[in-house]
Amino acid sequence: MAKQISEETFEQEVLKAELPVMVDFGATWCGPCKMIAPYMEQLSEEYAGKALVFKADVDDCAGLAAKFGIRNVPTVLYFKGGQVVDKNVGGAAKSVFEDKLKKLI
């Protein structure tokens, strides 16, 4: 299951993670965010032990959204070694997210 991330846990959970990490920046009021939510859950389960999948609500994590220049939701950032290595802005098919995640493993 995709875990909710907070500003307090972001550094430890994402930047210091040994596995590749996918962070879905979204909002409860966002239609496309709701559309991709099942994909994030599925990828979290399918790649358990190989990658981490987190959700960050931009309303609750405004500092993180500002730090990473999130201006549109959903925006999915891909991290490896504590660095952003790829991103996807807007809704997309599950295969789009999965292909980018596979490249990091």
Side-chain angles (χ1 to χ4, degrees):
M1 180 173 186
K3 184 177 170 186
Q4 194 71 31
I5 197 84
S6 69
E7 292 189 17
E8 294 77 26
T9 60
F10 190 85
E11 181 176 350
Q12 186 63 38
E13 298 269 18
V14 176
L15 300 181
K16 293 184 178 179
E18 293 183 18
L19 297 173
V21 181
M22 184 166 68
V23 181
D24 171 19
F25 285 88
T28 56
W29 45 262
C30 166
C33 299
K34 291 176 186 174
M35 182 193 82
I36 71 166
Y39 307 155
M40 297 300 123
E41 295 300 328
Q42 292 164 8
L43 292 170
S44 176
E45 293 172 13
E46 292 167 14
Y47 288 87
K50 298 178 188 172
L52 300 170
V53 179
F54 293 104
K55 292 178 170 235
D57 187 304
V58 294
D59 293 326
D60 296 334
C61 300
L64 286 177
K67 177 179 179 178
F68 291 103
I70 306 299
R71 290 189 170 81
N72 299 301
V73 290
T75 293
V76 177
L77 297 183
Y78 301 82
F79 291 83
K80 189 164 187 176
Q83 300 295 315
V84 176
V85 294
D86 205 347
K87 79 176 185 177
N88 194 86
V89 179
K94 178 184 173 188
S95 60
V96 172
F97 301 106
E98 187 169 20
D99 289 345
K100 289 186 177 197
L101 188 59
K102 280 182 182 177
K103 290 177 185 175
L104 303 178
I105 296 173

